[in-house]
Amino acid sequence: CEEMDRSAFMSSVIPQEIFGDGVRHVPGTNFTNFQRSRPVCRTAKLPNQARYDGILTGRHEKANYTAAGRTDYKDEGYDMLNLPDPQPDDDSTEPLLVYNIKNSRNLCEKARIDFKDTFFVRYEDHWMTTTVPNDAEASYYKQESLGEKLVMMCTVVMDWGRYSADYVHIEEMVNFTGTDAASADYGIIVNGVKATNLTLLQNEVCYLLRKGEGEAGYLFEPRDGRFQIQFRVPREGNFYLNAIVLV
């Protein structure tokens, strides 16, 4: 039944508009990726089967289901108020997997499985780097070698639009206009290519990275079938990332 559904979907007519007034399909272009590709999604949010199965970090055993929607998952990541020391001299440092934006995991035991965790990039760390897919993701999704991809990033939106001064928006990550000394050496880089613009997809949450004009400006080339993504915050503050999606 699932295979029949997949076959029917793959043979259906591709819609010419997605995300409302956002990105539009153009016949013969790679925006059909949104409907036909095999994406790779990495998200920090819970509940998250990739975290329960040990795929996100590849550093723990698969969790077991217990009851009432819960597992025996052993938590990963850092409390926002107890972060490790910055590593400005190590460009290979991964963005930090951080607990629910300045709230303790013990705040409400009954809500433990529904926290909006984040990947956290600090100004003090200088460049931070991750590779998508990692070894565990590539094996799990059976995508050992990827082709060219659209790169989508989803950020954390603060309730009621109450952003603190140290919140660095994704627009600043690709087009910072300040006078900070680090501003010439910052941004989001995918396999050595710096993102220079964005296309908003959904309510200030998800964006497509761009490296140039036209349709080709959205497509990033893999390196050995993977995508190395580097981040550096352009001013004092922090960049909060919910998800990276390769489409």
Side-chain angles (χ1 to χ4, degrees):
C1 183
E2 182 176 344
E3 189 58 39
M4 291 177 62
D5 288 344
R6 175 176 172 80
S7 178
F9 171 76
M10 295 299 287
S11 62
S12 64
V13 176
I14 299 174
Q16 293 303 301
E17 182 174 324
I18 55 176
F19 300 111
D21 294 329
V23 179
R24 295 181 61 86
H25 284 301
V26 178
T29 72
N30 280 288
F31 279 131
T32 56
N33 283 22
F34 276 102
Q35 301 292 329
R36 296 294 184 266
S37 75
R38 294 182 61 197
V40 175
C41 176
R42 177 186 293 175
T43 180
K45 290 184 176 183
L46 288 173
N48 181 343
Q49 195 64 46
R51 288 182 66 170
Y52 301 153
D53 288 348
I55 298 164
L56 180 67
T57 64
R59 290 198 295 265
H60 75 86
E61 297 298 322
K62 182 176 180 178
N64 299 302
Y65 179 79
T66 55
R70 296 178 180 277
T71 73
D72 60 3
Y73 173 67
K74 293 179 175 58
D75 218 341
E76 299 174 279
Y78 298 95
D79 188 312
M80 177 67 77
L81 301 180
N82 189 27
L83 298 176
D85 292 336
Q87 302 292 322
D89 297 322
D90 185 0
D91 291 351
S92 68
T93 302
E94 289 266 350
L96 304 175
L97 178 60
V98 171
Y99 293 172
N100 184 41
I101 317 303
K102 299 184 179 178
N103 287 318
S104 169
R105 272 287 199 259
N106 298 322
L107 193 66
C108 177
E109 195 276 334
K110 297 301 182 185
R112 290 175 72 97
I113 62 169
D114 193 20
F115 278 91
K116 296 176 177 64
D117 293 4
T118 184
F119 300 117
F120 196 60
V121 182
R122 299 180 293 189
Y123 173 79
E124 294 83 3
D125 277 297
H126 294 180
W127 287 101
M128 305 186 86
T129 303
T130 192
T131 298
V132 183
N134 60 32
D135 289 343
E137 289 168 329
S139 176
Y140 183 85
Y141 296 119
K142 296 179 173 59
Q143 298 208 56
E144 297 291 343
S145 183
L146 303 180
E148 61 182 10
K149 290 288 186 180
L150 308 174
V151 180
M152 181 169 69
M153 295 193 174
C154 300
T155 61
V156 173
V157 175
M158 299 301 184
D159 292 340
W160 312 109
R162 294 173 179 169
Y163 295 94
S164 61
D166 66 354
Y167 182 101
V168 177
H169 293 264
I170 192 170
E171 291 90 346
E172 297 178 84
M173 291 291 289
V174 301
N175 192 25
F176 184 66
T177 58
T179 57
D180 191 287
S183 64
D185 184 25
Y186 75 94
I188 302 174
I189 296 176
V190 181
N191 284 344
V193 178
K194 188 172 183 178
T196 57
N197 211 334
L198 302 163
T199 292
L200 173 64
L201 299 181
Q202 179 187 9
N203 300 330
E204 301 183 14
V205 177
C206 294
Y207 300 77
L208 279 179
L209 299 185
R210 294 177 59 185
K211 59 182 175 62
E213 299 300 320
E215 306 296 335
Y218 289 95
L219 293 167
F220 289 83
E221 295 289 334
R223 180 184 295 163
D224 297 326
R226 309 279 178 101
F227 289 80
Q228 182 190 73
I229 305 176
Q230 299 168 279
F231 304 88
R232 185 172 181 181
V233 175
R235 63 172 176 85
E236 290 190 17
N238 310 295
F239 178 52
Y240 299 79
L241 185 64
N242 264 344
I244 300 170
V245 185
L246 304 179
V247 185

